[in-house]
Amino acid sequence: MTRKDSILTVDVDEPQMTLTLREICERGECHAEFVIKLVSYGIIAPVKEGPEERQWQFDLAALARLRKAQRLQHDLKINLPGLAMSLDLLDEVQQMRREVDRLNQQLRQLMGEW
């Protein structure tokens, strides 16, 4: 007799919280010019763009990435192009770690069936 594990997935339809340019600056404790530069280098991106920067809307992921960019810039004195590359590499590492964890879980499940 084999045991099959089922995985339950749940979709959450919760409205996503957004922050204006002013709010992300307040929460990130930075100037709007810094946020605008991060957007221009592709480090963060507004989820809703308007004709003017003050109409931009950001999600909480952008705020988290803003704070991470600030820490890297402060601690390592990295310029904006370096920040963009560093954050992309950190994202890749995190994604690969999640994939390794998922594959290890699948392997444990397969080994349990033997």
Side-chain angles (χ1 to χ4, degrees), residues 48-100:
K48 294 179 187 172
E49 290 190 47
E52 298 177 14
E53 288 93 357
R54 65 188 174 108
Q55 295 174 332
W56 288 350
Q57 296 286 312
F58 297 90
D59 59 9
L60 293 178
L63 177 61
R65 196 165 168 92
L66 165 69
R67 289 180 176 158
K68 194 181 290 188
Q70 288 173 311
R71 285 192 307 273
L72 284 171
Q73 190 176 45
H74 179 265
D75 295 345
L76 303 176
K77 310 292 188 237
I78 298 176
N79 61 14
L80 290 175
L83 275 176
M85 185 178 66
S86 298
L87 288 168
D88 288 345
L89 290 172
L90 286 170
D91 288 345
E92 276 187 55
V93 167
Q94 185 178 21
Q95 183 180 12
M96 291 192 317
R97 284 181 177 160
R98 281 194 303 264
E99 180 68 10
V100 167

Coordinates of all heavy atoms in Angstrom, one line a residue, residues 48-100:
K48 N 1.6 50.9 -10.0 CA 0.8 51.8 -10.8 C 1.6 53.1 -11.1 O 2.0 53.7 -10.2 CB -0.5 52.2 -10.0 CG -1.4 51.0 -9.7 CD -2.6 51.5 -8.9 CE -3.5 50.3 -8.5 NZ -4.5 50.7 -7.6
E49 N 1.7 53.3 -12.4 CA 2.4 54.6 -12.8 C 1.4 55.6 -13.2 O 0.3 55.3 -13.7 CB 3.4 54.3 -13.9 CG 4.6 53.4 -13.5 CD 5.6 53.3 -14.5 OE1 6.0 54.4 -15.1 OE2 6.1 52.2 -14.8
G50 N 1.7 56.8 -13.0 CA 0.9 58.0 -13.4 C 1.8 58.9 -14.3 O 3.0 58.7 -14.4
P51 N 1.2 59.9 -14.8 CA 2.0 60.8 -15.6 C 3.0 61.6 -14.8 O 4.0 62.0 -15.4 CB 0.9 61.8 -16.2 CG -0.3 61.5 -15.5 CD -0.2 60.2 -14.8
E52 N 2.8 61.7 -13.5 CA 3.8 62.3 -12.6 C 4.2 61.4 -11.6 O 3.5 60.5 -11.2 CB 3.1 63.5 -12.0 CG 2.6 64.6 -12.9 CD 1.9 65.8 -12.2 OE1 2.0 65.8 -11.0 OE2 1.3 66.6 -12.9
E53 N 5.4 61.5 -11.1 CA 6.0 60.6 -10.1 C 5.1 60.6 -8.8 O 5.0 59.6 -8.2 CB 7.4 61.1 -9.7 CG 8.5 60.8 -10.7 CD 8.7 62.0 -11.6 OE1 8.0 63.0 -11.5 OE2 9.6 61.8 -12.5
R54 N 4.6 61.7 -8.4 CA 3.8 61.7 -7.2 C 2.5 60.9 -7.3 O 1.9 60.6 -6.3 CB 3.4 63.2 -6.8 CG 2.5 63.9 -7.8 CD 2.4 65.4 -7.4 NE 1.7 66.1 -8.4 CZ 0.4 66.5 -8.3 NH1 -0.2 66.3 -7.1 NH2 -0.2 67.1 -9.2
Q55 N 2.2 60.4 -8.5 CA 1.0 59.5 -8.7 C 1.4 58.1 -8.7 O 0.5 57.2 -8.8 CB 0.3 59.9 -10.0 CG -0.3 61.3 -10.0 CD -0.9 61.7 -11.3 OE1 -0.5 61.2 -12.4 NE2 -1.9 62.5 -11.3
W56 N 2.7 57.8 -8.6 CA 3.1 56.4 -8.5 C 2.6 55.7 -7.3 O 2.4 56.3 -6.2 CB 4.6 56.3 -8.5 CG 5.3 56.6 -9.8 CD1 4.7 56.9 -11.0 CD2 6.7 56.9 -10.0 NE1 5.7 57.2 -11.9 CE2 6.9 57.2 -11.3 CE3 7.8 56.8 -9.1 CZ2 8.2 57.4 -11.8 CZ3 9.1 57.0 -9.6 CH2 9.3 57.3 -11.0
Q57 N 2.3 54.4 -7.4 CA 1.9 53.5 -6.3 C 2.9 52.4 -6.2 O 3.2 51.8 -7.2 CB 0.5 53.0 -6.5 CG -0.6 54.1 -6.6 CD -0.9 54.6 -5.2 OE1 -1.2 53.9 -4.3 NE2 -1.0 55.9 -5.1
F58 N 3.3 52.1 -5.0 CA 4.3 51.0 -4.7 C 3.7 50.0 -3.8 O 2.8 50.3 -3.0 CB 5.6 51.6 -4.1 CG 6.3 52.6 -4.9 CD1 6.0 53.9 -4.9 CD2 7.3 52.1 -5.8 CE1 6.7 54.8 -5.7 CE2 8.0 53.0 -6.6 CZ 7.7 54.4 -6.5
D59 N 4.1 48.7 -3.9 CA 3.6 47.7 -3.0 C 4.6 47.5 -1.9 O 5.7 48.1 -1.9 CB 3.4 46.4 -3.8 CG 4.6 45.8 -4.5 OD1 5.7 46.4 -4.3 OD2 4.4 44.9 -5.3
L60 N 4.3 46.6 -1.0 CA 5.2 46.4 0.2 C 6.5 45.7 -0.2 O 7.5 45.9 0.4 CB 4.4 45.5 1.2 CG 3.3 46.2 1.9 CD1 2.6 45.3 2.9 CD2 3.7 47.5 2.6
A61 N 6.5 44.9 -1.3 CA 7.7 44.3 -1.8 C 8.7 45.4 -2.3 O 9.9 45.3 -2.0 CB 7.4 43.4 -3.0
A62 N 8.2 46.5 -2.9 CA 9.1 47.6 -3.3 C 9.7 48.3 -2.0 O 10.8 48.7 -2.0 CB 8.3 48.6 -4.1
L63 N 8.9 48.4 -1.0 CA 9.4 49.0 0.3 C 10.5 48.1 0.9 O 11.5 48.6 1.3 CB 8.3 49.2 1.3 CG 8.7 49.8 2.6 CD1 9.3 51.1 2.5 CD2 7.4 49.8 3.6
A64 N 10.3 46.8 0.9 CA 11.3 45.9 1.4 C 12.6 46.0 0.6 O 13.7 46.0 1.1 CB 10.8 44.5 1.4
R65 N 12.4 46.1 -0.7 CA 13.6 46.2 -1.6 C 14.3 47.5 -1.4 O 15.5 47.6 -1.5 CB 13.1 46.0 -3.1 CG 14.3 45.6 -4.0 CD 13.7 45.1 -5.3 NE 14.6 45.0 -6.4 CZ 15.4 44.0 -6.6 NH1 15.2 42.9 -5.9 NH2 16.3 44.0 -7.6
L66 N 13.5 48.6 -1.2 CA 14.1 49.9 -0.9 C 15.0 49.8 0.3 O 16.1 50.3 0.3 CB 13.0 50.9 -0.8 CG 13.3 52.3 -0.1 CD1 14.2 53.1 -1.1 CD2 12.1 53.0 0.2
R67 N 14.4 49.2 1.4 CA 15.2 49.1 2.6 C 16.5 48.3 2.4 O 17.5 48.6 3.0 CB 14.3 48.6 3.7 CG 13.3 49.5 4.2 CD 12.4 49.0 5.2 NE 11.5 50.0 5.7 CZ 10.3 49.7 6.3 NH1 10.0 48.4 6.6 NH2 9.5 50.6 6.7
K68 N 16.4 47.2 1.7 CA 17.5 46.4 1.4 C 18.6 47.2 0.6 O 19.8 47.1 0.9 CB 17.1 45.1 0.6 CG 18.2 44.0 0.6 CD 17.7 42.8 -0.2 CE 16.6 42.1 0.5 NZ 16.3 40.8 -0.2
A69 N 18.1 47.9 -0.4 CA 19.0 48.8 -1.1 C 19.7 49.8 -0.3 O 20.9 50.0 -0.4 CB 18.3 49.5 -2.3
Q70 N 19.0 50.4 0.7 CA 19.6 51.4 1.6 C 20.7 50.7 2.4 O 21.7 51.3 2.6 CB 18.5 52.0 2.5 CG 17.6 52.9 1.8 CD 16.4 53.3 2.7 OE1 15.8 52.5 3.3 NE2 16.2 54.6 2.7
R71 N 20.4 49.5 2.9 CA 21.4 48.8 3.8 C 22.6 48.5 3.0 O 23.8 48.7 3.5 CB 20.8 47.6 4.4 CG 19.8 47.8 5.5 CD 19.5 46.5 6.3 NE 19.0 45.4 5.5 CZ 17.8 45.3 5.1 NH1 16.8 46.1 5.5 NH2 17.4 44.2 4.3
L72 N 22.5 48.0 1.8 CA 23.6 47.7 1.0 C 24.4 48.9 0.6 O 25.6 48.9 0.7 CB 23.2 47.0 -0.3 CG 22.8 45.6 -0.3 CD1 22.2 45.1 -1.6 CD2 24.0 44.7 0.1
Q73 N 23.7 50.0 0.3 CA 24.4 51.2 -0.1 C 25.2 51.8 1.2 O 26.3 52.3 1.0 CB 23.5 52.3 -0.6 CG 24.2 53.5 -1.2 CD 23.2 54.4 -1.9 OE1 22.2 54.8 -1.4 NE2 23.6 54.9 -3.1
H74 N 24.5 51.8 2.3 CA 25.1 52.3 3.5 C 26.3 51.4 4.0 O 27.4 52.0 4.3 CB 24.1 52.4 4.6 CG 24.6 52.9 5.9 ND1 25.1 52.1 6.9 CD2 24.9 54.2 6.3 CE1 25.5 52.9 7.9 NE2 25.4 54.1 7.6
D75 N 26.1 50.1 4.0 CA 27.1 49.3 4.6 C 28.3 49.0 3.6 O 29.4 48.9 4.1 CB 26.5 47.9 5.0 CG 25.5 48.0 6.1 OD1 25.5 49.1 6.8 OD2 24.7 47.0 6.3
L76 N 28.0 48.9 2.4 CA 29.0 48.5 1.4 C 29.4 49.6 0.4 O 30.3 49.5 -0.4 CB 28.6 47.3 0.6 CG 28.2 46.0 1.4 CD1 27.7 44.9 0.5 CD2 29.4 45.6 2.2
K77 N 28.7 50.8 0.6 CA 29.0 51.9 -0.3 C 28.9 51.6 -1.8 O 29.7 52.0 -2.6 CB 30.4 52.5 0.0 CG 30.7 52.8 1.5 CD 29.9 53.9 2.0 CE 30.3 54.2 3.4 NZ 29.3 54.1 4.4
I78 N 27.8 50.9 -2.1 CA 27.6 50.4 -3.5 C 26.9 51.5 -4.3 O 25.9 52.1 -3.8 CB 26.8 49.1 -3.5 CG1 27.6 48.0 -2.8 CG2 26.5 48.7 -5.0 CD1 26.8 46.7 -2.7
N79 N 27.3 51.8 -5.5 CA 26.6 52.7 -6.3 C 25.3 52.1 -6.9 O 25.0 50.9 -6.7 CB 27.5 53.3 -7.5 CG 27.9 52.2 -8.4 OD1 27.4 51.1 -8.4 ND2 28.9 52.5 -9.2
L80 N 24.5 52.9 -7.6 CA 23.2 52.4 -8.0 C 23.2 51.3 -9.0 O 22.5 50.3 -8.9 CB 22.3 53.6 -8.6 CG 21.9 54.6 -7.5 CD1 21.2 55.8 -8.1 CD2 21.0 53.9 -6.5
P81 N 24.1 51.3 -10.0 CA 24.2 50.1 -10.9 C 24.6 48.9 -10.1 O 24.1 47.8 -10.4 CB 25.2 50.5 -12.0 CG 25.2 52.0 -12.0 CD 24.9 52.4 -10.5
G82 N 25.5 49.0 -9.2 CA 26.0 47.9 -8.4 C 24.8 47.4 -7.5 O 24.7 46.2 -7.2
L83 N 24.0 48.3 -7.0 CA 22.9 47.9 -6.2 C 21.9 47.1 -7.0 O 21.4 46.1 -6.5 CB 22.1 49.2 -5.7 CG 22.6 49.8 -4.4 CD1 21.8 51.1 -4.1 CD2 22.5 48.9 -3.2
A84 N 21.6 47.5 -8.2 CA 20.7 46.8 -9.1 C 21.2 45.4 -9.3 O 20.5 44.4 -9.1 CB 20.5 47.5 -10.4
M85 N 22.5 45.2 -9.6 CA 23.0 43.9 -9.9 C 23.1 43.1 -8.6 O 22.7 41.9 -8.6 CB 24.5 44.0 -10.4 CG 25.1 42.7 -10.8 SD 26.7 42.9 -11.5 CE 27.6 43.5 -10.1
S86 N 23.5 43.7 -7.5 CA 23.5 42.9 -6.2 C 22.2 42.4 -5.8 O 22.0 41.3 -5.4 CB 24.1 43.8 -5.1 OG 25.4 44.2 -5.4
L87 N 21.2 43.3 -5.9 CA 19.8 42.8 -5.5 C 19.3 41.8 -6.4 O 18.6 40.8 -5.9 CB 18.9 44.0 -5.5 CG 19.1 45.0 -4.3 CD1 18.4 46.3 -4.5 CD2 18.7 44.4 -3.0
D88 N 19.6 41.8 -7.7 CA 19.1 40.8 -8.6 C 19.8 39.5 -8.3 O 19.2 38.4 -8.3 CB 19.5 41.2 -10.1 CG 18.5 42.3 -10.6 OD1 17.5 42.5 -10.0 OD2 18.9 42.9 -11.7
L89 N 21.1 39.5 -8.0 CA 21.8 38.3 -7.6 C 21.3 37.7 -6.2 O 21.1 36.5 -6.1 CB 23.3 38.6 -7.5 CG 24.0 38.8 -8.8 CD1 25.5 39.2 -8.5 CD2 24.0 37.6 -9.7
L90 N 21.0 38.6 -5.3 CA 20.4 38.1 -4.0 C 19.0 37.5 -4.2 O 18.7 36.5 -3.6 CB 20.3 39.3 -3.0 CG 21.6 39.8 -2.4 CD1 21.4 41.1 -1.6 CD2 22.2 38.7 -1.5
D91 N 18.2 38.1 -5.2 CA 16.9 37.5 -5.5 C 17.1 36.1 -6.1 O 16.4 35.2 -5.8 CB 16.2 38.4 -6.4 CG 15.6 39.6 -5.8 OD1 15.6 39.7 -4.5 OD2 15.2 40.6 -6.5
E92 N 18.1 36.0 -7.0 CA 18.4 34.6 -7.6 C 18.8 33.6 -6.6 O 18.3 32.5 -6.6 CB 19.5 34.8 -8.7 CG 19.0 35.2 -10.0 CD 20.1 35.1 -11.1 OE1 20.7 34.1 -11.2 OE2 20.3 36.2 -11.7
V93 N 19.6 34.0 -5.7 CA 20.1 33.1 -4.6 C 18.9 32.6 -3.8 O 18.7 31.5 -3.5 CB 21.2 33.7 -3.7 CG1 21.4 32.9 -2.4 CG2 22.4 33.9 -4.5
Q94 N 18.0 33.6 -3.4 CA 16.8 33.2 -2.6 C 15.9 32.3 -3.4 O 15.4 31.3 -2.8 CB 16.1 34.5 -2.2 CG 14.9 34.3 -1.3 CD 14.2 35.6 -0.9 OE1 14.3 36.6 -1.6 NE2 13.5 35.5 0.2
Q95 N 15.7 32.6 -4.7 CA 14.9 31.7 -5.5 C 15.5 30.3 -5.6 O 14.8 29.3 -5.5 CB 14.7 32.3 -6.9 CG 13.8 31.5 -7.8 CD 13.7 32.2 -9.2 OE1 14.4 33.1 -9.5 NE2 12.7 31.7 -9.9
M96 N 16.8 30.2 -5.7 CA 17.4 28.9 -5.8 C 17.4 28.1 -4.5 O 17.2 26.9 -4.5 CB 18.9 29.0 -6.3 CG 18.9 29.5 -7.7 SD 20.5 29.4 -8.6 CE 21.7 30.0 -7.6
R97 N 17.4 28.8 -3.4 CA 17.3 28.2 -2.1 C 15.9 27.6 -1.9 O 15.7 26.5 -1.4 CB 17.6 29.2 -1.0 CG 19.1 29.4 -0.8 CD 19.3 30.4 0.3 NE 20.8 30.6 0.5 CZ 21.3 31.6 1.1 NH1 20.6 32.5 1.7 NH2 22.6 31.7 1.2
R98 N 14.9 28.4 -2.4 CA 13.5 27.9 -2.3 C 13.4 26.6 -3.1 O 12.7 25.7 -2.8 CB 12.5 28.9 -2.7 CG 12.2 30.0 -1.7 CD 11.0 30.8 -2.0 NE 11.1 31.5 -3.3 CZ 11.5 32.8 -3.4 NH1 11.8 33.5 -2.4 NH2 11.6 33.3 -4.6
E99 N 14.0 26.6 -4.3 CA 13.9 25.5 -5.2 C 14.6 24.3 -4.6 O 14.1 23.2 -4.7 CB 14.5 25.8 -6.6 CG 14.5 24.7 -7.6 CD 13.1 24.3 -8.0 OE1 12.1 25.1 -7.7 OE2 13.0 23.3 -8.7
V100 N 15.7 24.5 -4.0 CA 16.5 23.4 -3.3 C 15.6 22.8 -2.2 O 15.5 21.6 -2.0 CB 17.9 23.8 -2.8 CG1 18.5 22.8 -1.9 CG2 18.8 24.1 -4.0

